[in-house]
Amino acid sequence: MSSVLLENITKSFKDYQAVKELNLEVKKGEFFTFLGPSGCGKTTTLRMIAGFYYPTTGRVLFGDRDMTRVVPEKRNTGMVFQNYALFPHMTVFENVAFGLKVRRLGSAEIKKKVEQSLKKVRLEAFIGRQVSQLSGGQQQRVALARSLVIEPEILLLDEPLSNLDARLRDEMRTEILRLQRDYGITTIYVTHDQVEALSMSDRIAVFNFGECQQVGTPKEIYNEPANDFVAAFIGETNLIPVIWDGKGGETLQFSWEENKNKKVVAETLFSSYERDHHLSVSIRPEAVEVFDEEPLNLQNVYEGNVELAQFTGASVNLFISLGEKTVQALILNNQTRREPQPGDKVWVRFPESHVRVIPRVMNQPARSMST
Amino acid sequence: MKNRDRRFTLLLLIPVILVLVAYVLYPSLRTLIESFHHKGGWNLKNYETFFGTESRSNLRALWNSVYISLLSVLFSALIGVPLAFIFNKYEFPGRSFFSSAAILPIVLPSLVGVMAFMFLYGESGLVPNAIKDLLGLKHVPFKIGGVSGILIVHAYTMYVYFYMTVSSTIRSIDPSLEEAAYNLGAGRFTVFRKVTLPLLTPAIVGASLLVFMTSMASFSAPFLLAGGFRVLSLQIYFSKVNGNLQMAAAQSVILSVVSISFLLFMRWYQNRRDYRMATKGIGAHRSEIKNPFLKGSMVILGVLGVIILLLPHATILILSLVPDGTWTYQTYPSVFNIENYLFLFTEPKIWDPVRNSLILAFLATLGNLVFGVLTSYVLVKRKFYGKNMLDIMVMLPWALPATVVGMNLILAFNEPSPFTFGNILVGTFWILPLAYFIRHIPLVVRSTNASLEQLDDSLEEAARNLGAGWFYLFRRVVLPLVMPGIMAGTLLAFVEAVGEFPTSVLLYTLSNRPISIEIMNQLRMFNMGQAAAYGMIQISLIGLVLFISNKFFGIKAERSL
């Protein structure tokens, strides 16, 4: 087991840069997730760690060993592919034993290790099956067993759950986490699914346009997004472009870009800000408060009309038009209370402590962002 | 690292390029150069003679080749396309049997097929004479020979291309496309014209080009049936036999230019548009014929068709049982026994050609196997500049008519060359396996390509990730998975090599004469029975190989074309 250090990594293909000046450290035993939309460079980065690509510039280190130019077969990483890449002409046993045979272990030892690792993924009964006879979830577990049995230094998972249906996905999520904790292995997990990322990871790196936008724990990423891309990509959020007015005592004062008469007050500071950055206010739907009557003596209160109320079981999604902007609010399904209906006049409030002011990077030339 | 990867690609590429340059490119260039030589000087004399007004025989042969090829395309399409429709769109008793019988002509090596047609429908053929006797006519009512003979043989053997390509396209058409058209209010005819036909166009065009090329290159049929009628592939042979190698070279160049332009046109056409279906998992969708009268006539027609298709095979079988010298002036043979087959084991002279053919084909195919797998792997799985060029070079032997391949080898290797380690190959044993090897390079490469393309890159990556080096993963992962494709191509190359006639007739020596040459000799001596017995050996070999590939590798015969 070892840590992974990516130093100033850039990867260019013929006509575009897939990864730009990436610096990352994955700690020993950590469950680390690369999260981002497709084409953001996360899989490219993972493949550079596995050795299938070599960085154009920069270095890849496992612990203090420079692995930048080492061939894949000498890296001792265990990779689980999106399509599992099980060898279709081999049985479950032969698939799992492959890496051990390459390492020239004795057949008794191979047998013992394969059985152990299949037990860990609860497939010991399927040891003699052809892989084509297994269901998607079982194939996934064979792929996991095959990667783990070679006792890799780093486990690499490339969107491993994207080919499974929703129910199996939940099951495999816990399974993967359990195995990772069992083995205590450094794990890098690539996904575009924010729920997976938030629920599984110790830390997350959010990618876009080949750049790392933010690194942090799931809580940090969700509660303190570094910019509007991160805020919008992770969970739902309301983004309102604003202009800086100045300081007002303990708080920061802003007005709406689209309507200067509307003001926003914020307590929290944004983490990084450069002079030429345009700013937005981000507020999560569950933080938005909704009132039937105008609340008095409170800031960040706006009058609006309910456009749509979506009942989702545990909660109700309200889409409330504030004139220039429609915001989303999430209220819990409280059976004793009548929910606002479309057409109702309501007042919404953005609590100052939950308003986050962040730089805008979407819909304008990408900028490098430090966190 | 990146450079190591590149170096490895280069290492794989070197033998591939070396072989292609030495045995495909260099011989072709020799022919090209030779065609500009006349009486020791560089000039255009050969071409002047070809296109000149003095003797029009060459120009006429070129024209004959072209119009026979065009008519072959037409007749093959007229048989193959309707058959494909009937067998894939309608359900009636015996359909699946008839549809597999429809590919029977490919189990007949060209020379044997032509021989069968001669005995069936020729001047003294069984069918015309049977009709004559039945109806009490004075003369045979019809006989084939010259153009009609060539055309009938071509239609019989080449309609299979149309049948197979159109069939597989029909099967891949999502029935919901036609249903959608009906649902939108289109009538039967409109649906056919606006939906089905456009989807079939690529298949039909592809098959047309293939048939055109094949019949331009056709040698056996004109060789045995043409009489005084000349086609270009025959002209090359006669020029060579008459010792006019430079004229033969010029004729080869002209025939190659026609063939290669068709190959390039075909590649361009196939890359131009892509009608691949977007849907997966299409179920067969045939309408059952309800009308009992129609159903009955379908079955009768099917049975008749199968009989016609099987007649050549049956004829060869029957003839092979006729001892030499027992069928001379009689209309029908009267004595039957297995003497011809017994000679194989008792007379070394009769057995020799069989042994020669097996050895020659085995050597050539072994080369094809090794070279084909290597080349295919480089082409499909490795990145390098000039891949398209290499691909064309690999396909070149397929576009070149067999006669031209033979001429190329004669012109290149009738003198010492570095590629033959300073030896003269013409007139030796090794020239024939080399010729067979070159002829069947594309076959093995193409069928291996098809398998390799389906092999997901992630399998190789997974193996490397688990610590396997290249040779280990190639042996344990890649090879086992593409084995069916490799074997399909290799086995087919083997039977084709056993049946190969055009290059054999140009290059054989007395000591390595293969079966096809011996068939020709026996025919010349009017030993029909012995010739047919040899034919049966070839037919059974092909049948055996198709059976093996179907049984053990699950390969359908139609995939190998």
Side-chain angles (χ1 to χ4, degrees), chain A residues 97-216:
Chain A
F98 188 91
L100 300 174
K101 278 199 183 133
V102 172
R103 286 168 174 72
R104 301 237 164 80
L105 266 62
S107 59
E109 204 183 349
I110 290 180
K111 191 158 181 286
K112 203 179 96 204
K113 287 200 169 187
V114 171
E115 279 167 357
Q116 270 173 5
S117 81
L118 282 175
K119 202 166 201 166
K120 283 241 182 195
V121 296
R122 292 181 292 211
L123 276 181
E124 60 269 42
F126 297 86
I127 192 161
R129 292 272 188 101
Q130 287 294 322
V131 288
S132 55
Q133 295 172 300
L134 303 181
S135 69
Q138 290 166 337
Q139 293 190 0
Q140 168 81 82
R141 293 212 287 263
V142 175
L144 274 165
R146 188 177 68 177
S147 316
L148 287 170
V149 78
I150 59 170
E151 290 159 26
E153 294 190 42
I154 301 143
L155 181 63
L156 306 172
L157 301 153
D158 186 7
E159 309 222 13
L161 303 185
S162 59
N163 285 341
L164 299 176
D165 60 50
R167 195 173 286 272
L168 257 177
R169 221 162 18 221
D170 287 347
E171 195 188 309
M172 285 310 298
R173 212 150 65 191
T174 8
E175 184 90 15
I176 290 175
L177 263 184
R178 184 179 62 78
L179 286 168
Q180 197 262 341
R181 303 287 182 233
D182 260 20
Y183 283 86
I185 186 174
T186 312
T187 302
I188 300 177
Y189 187 96
V190 163
T191 184
H192 60 265
D193 185 324
Q194 33 123 352
V195 181
E196 271 173 30
L198 292 174
S199 62
M200 298 172 83
S201 322
D202 294 322
R203 284 195 304 151
I204 300 171
V206 184
F207 280 74
N208 198 27
F209 302 122
E211 288 175 288
C212 180
Q213 307 284 329
Q214 186 174 8
V215 179

Side-chain angles (χ1 to χ4, degrees), chain A residues 47 52 54 69 71-73 77-79 81 83 85-90 98-99 101-103 146-147 150, chain B residues 1-2 4-5 385 456 458-470 472-473 476-478 480-481:
Chain A
R47 291 171 66 83
F52 297 129
Y54 300 105
R69 306 261 168 232
V71 291
E73 56 265 36
T77 62
M79 181 149 168
F81 292 78
N83 60 358
L86 296 180
F87 306 125
H89 58 303
M90 298 183 189
F98 188 91
K101 278 199 183 133
V102 172
R103 286 168 174 72
R146 188 177 68 177
S147 316
I150 59 170
Chain B
M1 74 179 270
K2 196 165 201 165
R4 194 176 317 173
D5 231 37
Y385 292 106
D456 201 301
S458 67
L459 287 180
E460 262 185 72
E461 287 173 355
R464 295 192 73 184
N465 179 257
L466 292 166
W470 185 83
Y472 189 86
L473 80 87
R476 297 295 305 274
V477 177
V478 178
L481 285 173

Side-chain angles (χ1 to χ4, degrees), chain A residues 273-307:
Chain A
Y273 164 64
E274 285 167 28
R275 263 200 160 324
D276 57 345
H277 272 145
H278 297 275
L279 300 176
S280 274
V281 152
S282 160
I283 179 136
R284 299 284 181 191
E286 67 271 19
V288 175
E289 291 174 358
V290 182
F291 301 93
D292 295 334
E293 289 159 19
E294 184 169 11
L296 302 171
N297 303 324
L298 288 174
Q299 288 179 299
N300 299 348
V301 173
Y302 312 97
E303 190 185 319
N305 273 307
V306 178
E307 285 182 336

